[in-house]
Amino acid sequence: MRTGLNGRTALVTGASRGIGKAIAAALAAEGANVVISSRKQEALDEVAKEIAAASPGAGVLAKAAHVGHADEAAACVDAAVAEFGGIDILVNNAGTNPYYGPMADIEPAAAAKTVEVNQFAIVQWTQLALKGGLAERGGAVINIASVGGMITEHGIGYYNATKAAVIHLSRQFAMELAPKVRVNCIAPGLVKTHLARALWEPNEAQISEHMPLKRLGEPEDIANAAVFLAGDASSWMTGQTLVVDGGATIRASIA
């Protein structure tokens, strides 16, 4: 696949584990410099060592930041610009789900936290990346949503509502930022991550059996899609949502 990522700089939020870590590693393997961010510096430092060892030709910078705190986000972008000269790719991956249950019972604090991290942070980090060189240099923004943003589910309805917002934010930004900046979205299905453990760990085999492709997703499945959307192979693609779910959303049409 023609990626053209060598020498470009990507900033990935929520990159200390799971999908974000896999995306950062995959971009580095294609020759991109990567700036990895999450709340805990110690965890980031370990990931940075792993990525640097696997992809010695890529530059790696670990910078802790709470995705919902404007001052920390700005400091992370400033560090990326100082280290690599600017940002070419932004991956808004960080997410949270502090509440499980009916939307009718969610407390305002939990709702506000979910919106802050899953929804408004995408606006904030995109604004900062644009000022950090993305608007001038051109490039790509990739937002990580969820197939939950397209369906209804018990227990995680409010989380899914914020992911539906991510899908629309991606389309809106794509319209506003074209032609220099492409904005696309990935909607993962059930992936074996720490955040989703409560959904898959107790009955992985049973869930997998009902999946068309007979397995749950791995972080690397989403990372492969991110490499495609970040690189030149998707240069005529913007405002789209790429569903990567092992076929889960077509189950009703399979005999």
Side-chain angles (χ1 to χ4, degrees):
M1 184 169 63
R2 179 172 49 88
T3 66
L5 293 175
N6 190 55
R8 298 184 190 177
T9 296
L11 193 164
V12 184
T13 67
S16 63
R17 62 189 180 192
I19 290 172
K21 176 181 175 181
I23 290 174
L27 293 172
E30 293 293 325
N33 303 313
V34 292
V35 181
I36 56 174
S37 183
S38 70
R39 289 180 298 164
K40 298 180 180 179
Q41 186 66 46
E42 185 176 351
L44 285 173
D45 290 339
E46 289 301 313
V47 172
K49 290 178 184 177
E50 291 180 33
I51 294 175
S55 302
V60 185
L61 174 66
K63 178 66 175 177
H66 187 297
V67 73
H69 294 176
D71 56 340
E72 296 181 20
C76 182
V77 171
D78 288 345
V81 173
E83 183 75 12
F84 298 118
I87 295 170
D88 304 289
I89 301 154
L90 172 66
V91 182
N92 286 307
N93 165 73
T96 191
N97 185 28
Y99 172 76
Y100 184 89
M103 286 207 300
D105 295 334
I106 192 170
E107 295 290 337
K113 180 178 180 180
T114 311
V115 170
E116 176 190 62
V117 173
N118 294 357
Q119 184 175 332
F120 184 69
I122 285 177
V123 177
Q124 187 164 258
W125 284 75
T126 301
Q127 291 172 335
L128 291 167
L130 289 168
K131 295 175 183 176
L134 188 61
E136 179 182 352
R137 295 151 72 106
V141 176
I142 302 166
N143 297 321
I144 307 301
S146 168
V147 293
M150 304 173 175
I151 61 175
T152 57
E153 286 183 284
H154 292 290
I156 56 173
Y158 200 80
Y159 169 86
N160 284 348
T162 63
K163 291 301 186 177
V166 171
I167 293 170
H168 185 76
L169 284 170
S170 300
R171 291 173 60 84
Q172 183 68 29
F173 266 128
M175 182 271 290
E176 294 182 4
L177 300 180
K180 292 212 66 171
V181 178
R182 298 184 300 109
V183 184
N184 289 293
C185 188
I186 301 174
L190 186 54
V191 178
K192 293 169 66 175
T193 65
H194 179 81
L195 180 66
R197 281 178 66 183
L199 300 177
W200 63 267
E201 200 168 47
N203 52 355
E204 179 184 353
Q206 182 180 1
I207 297 171
S208 298
E209 182 58 31
H210 287 88
M211 298 279 287
L213 296 185
K214 302 302 181 185
R215 70 174 177 89
L216 301 185
E218 298 286 350
E220 290 73 20
D221 293 313
I222 311 306
N224 291 336
V227 169
F228 167 68
L229 291 177
D232 293 344
S234 61
S235 63
W236 204 48
M237 183 175 177
T238 195
Q240 303 306 307
T241 298
L242 189 58
V243 174
V244 186
D245 70 345
T249 50
I250 62 165
R251 281 180 295 186
S253 64
I254 292 181

